[in-house]
Amino acid sequence: TESDPVADERHVYFTGRGRVRAVSRTDGEEVWESKDLGVTPEMLLAGRVLYVRTGGRFARLEGGDPAERGPYGVSAIDAATGKTLWRYKGADKGITNLALPDPETILAADRDDLIFIDARTGKRRSKVSHKIERAAFVVLNEAGAAVVGGRNEIAAFDPQSGRELWRTRHTPPGR
């Protein structure tokens, strides 16, 4: 598989070769298979919708340098039918991971921006420049702020307005 599987009371959802599949928890039979989305390294299940991140930065076994593979974006899939509800393809410079600060918003960070996506329509609401070199993740902290981190800096942003809340630099440990 390409991402960790997720499950609800009826199905287990997993990815492989660019497709998302739902398997019945009662009999193990495949219920549906999505259209090819591309590399799908992350899935989040929220209610009856699967949010799937496509593309990203991946570690190579040889050399250890990360390789980027696209297309980059987010797709929403109806968990009951496997129908693709929408696709967001505006993350053109890599993509980190997904965060859901509330039921109406999806956050993703690409190389330059923190992107706010409407969870119902897949339309970009806004984006703010995070100015983090080699952004690697976006997470929600205990205060609900969206924290974007990279090689030697992290910054927190308000998940509604995008306003920067704080920023700090750190020196990573040597090998």
Side-chain angles (χ1 to χ4, degrees):
T1 65
E2 297 166 342
S3 76
D4 291 334
V6 295
D8 61 17
E9 62 281 351
R10 297 183 307 166
H11 304 111
V12 176
Y13 307 94
F14 61 94
T15 63
R17 296 190 175 148
R19 299 181 188 277
V20 179
R21 292 170 178 81
V23 172
S24 171
R25 291 180 69 165
T26 57
D27 62 12
E29 295 293 321
E30 183 176 287
V31 178
W32 55 257
E33 178 180 309
S34 73
K35 293 181 180 178
D36 189 357
L37 301 172
V39 178
T40 53
E42 181 181 18
M43 286 189 302
L44 298 173
L45 180 62
R48 303 302 312 153
V49 179
L50 278 167
Y51 297 104
V52 181
R53 174 174 58 99
T54 55
R57 187 177 300 147
F58 305 95
R60 288 189 185 171
L61 296 179
E62 288 185 24
D65 292 327
E68 294 189 13
R69 288 184 56 194
Y72 308 110
V74 180
S75 296
I77 298 173
D78 182 311
T81 65
K83 178 184 175 201
T84 302
L85 303 172
W86 53 258
R87 291 188 78 171
Y88 173 78
K89 297 179 182 180
D92 58 351
K93 296 178 181 169
I95 193 166
T96 59
N97 60 303
L98 304 178
L100 300 170
D102 58 61
E104 291 85 34
T105 308
I106 300 168
L107 297 177
D110 68 7
R111 191 175 302 152
D112 299 324
D113 302 308
L114 177 61
I115 304 164
F116 299 76
I117 303 168
D118 186 304
R120 282 175 263 150
T121 65
K123 304 286 186 208
R124 185 182 77 208
R125 285 191 191 148
S126 64
K127 68 179 180 176
V128 295
S129 177
H130 54 62
K131 299 178 182 137
I132 299 289
E133 182 181 346
R134 300 181 87 178
F137 64 86
V138 58
V139 296
L140 300 173
N141 69 8
E142 64 278 357
V147 178
V148 179
R151 184 162 289 219
N152 62 357
E153 188 173 24
I154 60 174
F157 299 86
D158 181 282
Q160 276 72 45
S161 69
R163 181 178 57 88
E164 185 176 315
L165 302 173
W166 54 261
R167 178 177 296 268
T168 187
R169 293 186 61 81
H170 58 89
T171 303
R175 288 191 171 215

